[in-house]
Amino acid sequence: MIDKTSPLPLYYQIEEAIKQKIEKGDWEPGSMISSEREFAENYEVSRMTVRQAINNLVNDGYLTRSKGKGTFVSSKKIEQKLLGLTSFTEDMKSRGLEPASKLVSFQKIQANHKLAKSLEIQPSEEVYEIKRVRLADDVPMAIETTFVPVQLLDLQEIHLKKGSLYSHVENAGFYIDYATQSLEASIAREAESEILEIAKGAPVLLIQRQTYLTTGKPLEIVHSVYRGDRYKFMIDMKR
Amino acid sequence: MIDKTSPLPLYYQIEEAIKQKIEKGDWEPGSMISSEREFAENYEVSRMTVRQAINNLVNDGYLTRSKGKGTFVSSKKIEQKLLGLTSFTEDMKSRGLEPASKLVSFQKIQANHKLAKSLEIQPSEEVYEIKRVRLADDVPMAIETTFVPVQLLDLQEIHLKKGSLYSHVENAGFYIDYATQSLEASIAREAESEILEIAKGAPVLLIQRQTYLTTGKPLEIVHSVYRGDRYKFMIDMKR
DNA sequence: TTTTCTGACTGGTATAGACAACTAGTCATA
DNA sequence: TATGACTAGTTGTCTATACCAGTCAGAAAA
């Protein structure tokens, strides 16, 4: 329970107790937890102390509050960190290079299990798979594969050859909320080395980006393979 | 000032007022703001209401508190991983790994031309060169080399073995303003492959970071070599 | 002169209570 | 059957107060 003689603050003990319940899965996502007054009574502390505990958990994304209704277990921890989201085109322009793009293939495919899970759709649902080679000053710079759920937008090939997916999406009334990106070093496989005009086994930078709409649904997954000898990924961080 | 008849909560009005002062630059990074009790008196609200305002700003990274000292305008969204500029330690912890660090060497060297230019010092000036191996769960994860101008801080070895450079710098009255970071894929050279316990020619991720102080002067250059098979660089971006 | 202590500051924790704003159900009435 | 008033419950805001725990400078003691 709770130890009033402990040097640990009461709100912290309560916070940890609740967090544990959530992480152990005792409380289902979406379910309502006890009201602040109930907690206060059970733990024999004031309501403000309970609020401090819950506040921290809300800030950490474990709980969400709803005035007049209650406090609920969040469905998943959401990240809310900020940064600029640049496209390949903008990226290259800012380096003084002339960006270009060559469409390799464009097709509807059936999502496999992993892809479906990432895009939060059913495995049976269809997704567009768009493969492109990205060029800078006519030199192949990256291979980019984009996956977008068909249900989300009825894309037509023409839209994707020219113009950005993002502006197209915004015209359709959807808005990008945030994205997560991961980078890792790897080595070029044969197919990739051919397209990128580098040696097999040469270093490449794998970048995977997942973009979310304000609706909370994933918009796209982009998997890119950049050649390591010519491409540097730059981040500027201002306060 | 503050409108007690406004439908907007008092704490929110105070929050915005403080935030504006910071964003307009009226209050310098690192400077102390009024104490909670002073705010309470000036705005004629209770201290708890002021605390609620300040709490939010602390959460958003605008302010930092220090018990017994005061509340300060922060300059370092950086350390709060707002911008993907987390320290190795935080980075690993957030992945559920146990971070450790092994000091390889610590010495004063004379800056070569390139280094001097990057750090904006004279080529004759001395810099600390700190080499470390970074471990996660006892597995070598990266080799990290840090360069700091000697003139900037009179560091002692003991300070760098434990504790972060950043907190040490801030204690000395310097504040981090922004940073630039670049990432690229490469392949392990012999010396690196040995330390990282990977094959020569295996993919590695080179990360170079340059940190600037509010004075405009560079604080440090950090050059890291991460093993590509175990390390993914993660970024979260909003908008 | 040097060391120790004290007191006045700071933020941190916690209480008890009040009222507002909102939600959802109940119940009487048109 | 609908509609609106009421009610009990929720979180949101705010107050006034109290004491704790660091920090730091200056007074007092060595």
Side-chain angles (χ1 to χ4, degrees), chain A residues 45-209:
Chain A
V45 297
S46 77
R47 186 181 151 219
M48 289 306 275
T49 302
V50 173
R51 272 186 77 79
Q52 188 167 358
I54 291 180
N55 267 336
N56 291 340
L57 293 171
V58 168
N59 279 333
D60 288 350
Y62 287 95
L63 298 172
T64 55
R65 313 178 109 124
S66 184
K67 196 200 295 196
K69 292 164 89 173
T71 304
F72 303 83
V73 178
S74 302
S75 48
K76 65 175 178 189
K77 237 186 128 157
I78 316 162
E79 273 120 330
Q80 33 155 2
K81 299 312 173 190
L82 322 140
L83 205 104
L85 185 61
T86 54
S87 68
F88 178 83
T89 305
E90 295 169 281
D91 193 350
M92 289 304 126
K93 276 184 186 167
S94 72
R95 293 163 199 242
L97 301 172
E98 186 59 33
S101 190
K102 206 165 67 185
L103 189 65
V104 175
S105 67
F106 180 97
Q107 55 182 328
K108 287 186 191 177
I109 62 167
Q110 201 152 325
N112 62 31
H113 185 72
K114 187 180 166 192
L115 188 59
K117 196 180 165 193
S118 298
L119 287 172
E120 295 179 27
I121 57 174
Q122 296 303 315
S124 54
E125 283 184 52
E126 284 185 315
V127 294
Y128 291 111
E129 185 209 54
I130 305 143
K131 275 193 199 241
R132 277 179 273 202
V133 175
R134 298 293 205 170
L135 312 162
D137 283 346
D138 291 317
V139 176
M141 194 64 108
I143 305 166
E144 187 182 287
T145 312
T146 304
F147 299 97
V148 189
V150 169
Q151 281 206 317
L152 216 55
L153 299 175
D154 209 357
L155 298 177
Q156 289 170 2
E157 198 167 342
I158 188 154
H159 282 123
L160 287 151
K161 278 184 182 167
K162 56 182 174 185
S164 105
L165 172 62
Y166 297 156
S167 55
H168 185 259
V169 165
E170 301 225 335
N171 288 340
F174 294 97
Y175 293 91
I176 291 163
D177 189 12
Y178 67 100
T180 64
Q181 197 155 285
S182 73
L183 296 87
E184 63 186 306
S186 184
I187 50 180
R189 290 178 297 179
E190 184 136 31
E192 293 157 353
S193 64
E194 271 178 35
I195 295 174
L196 293 176
E197 302 175 10
I198 54 178
K200 184 183 166 190
V204 291
L205 193 59
L206 303 183
I207 304 184
Q208 186 158 334
R209 174 160 75 207

Side-chain angles (χ1 to χ4, degrees), chain B residues 66-84:
Chain B
S66 184
K67 196 202 292 194
K69 292 178 35 181
T71 303
F72 303 84
V73 178
S74 63
S75 56
K76 45 158 196 176
K77 294 212 163 175
I78 287 163
E79 253 187 298
Q80 294 148 18
K81 82 173 160 193
L82 243 182
L83 305 162

Side-chain angles (χ1 to χ4, degrees), chain A residues 181-184 233 235, chain B residues 84-85 91 95 181 183 205 207 231-235:
Chain A
Q181 197 155 285
S182 73
L183 296 87
E184 63 186 306
F233 185 85
I235 315 174
Chain B
L85 229 200
D91 195 349
R95 293 161 198 241
Q181 195 156 286
L183 296 88
L205 193 59
I207 304 184
Y231 185 74
K232 256 195 191 181
F233 187 82
M234 308 291 291
I235 316 173

Side-chain angles (χ1 to χ4, degrees), chain A residues 12-57:
Chain A
Y12 181 77
Q13 295 182 48
I14 296 170
E15 188 182 327
E16 289 300 314
I18 296 176
K19 194 195 285 185
Q20 251 193 15
K21 288 278 188 185
I22 295 173
E23 282 176 345
K24 277 208 307 179
D26 290 357
W27 294 345
E28 291 292 320
S31 62
M32 192 174 101
I33 68 173
S34 311
S35 75
E36 296 173 355
R37 285 180 177 83
E38 278 171 10
F39 273 123
E41 200 168 338
N42 290 339
Y43 286 130
E44 293 178 324
V45 297
S46 77
R47 186 181 151 219
M48 289 306 275
T49 302
V50 173
R51 272 186 77 79
Q52 188 167 358
I54 291 180
N55 267 336
N56 291 340
L57 293 171

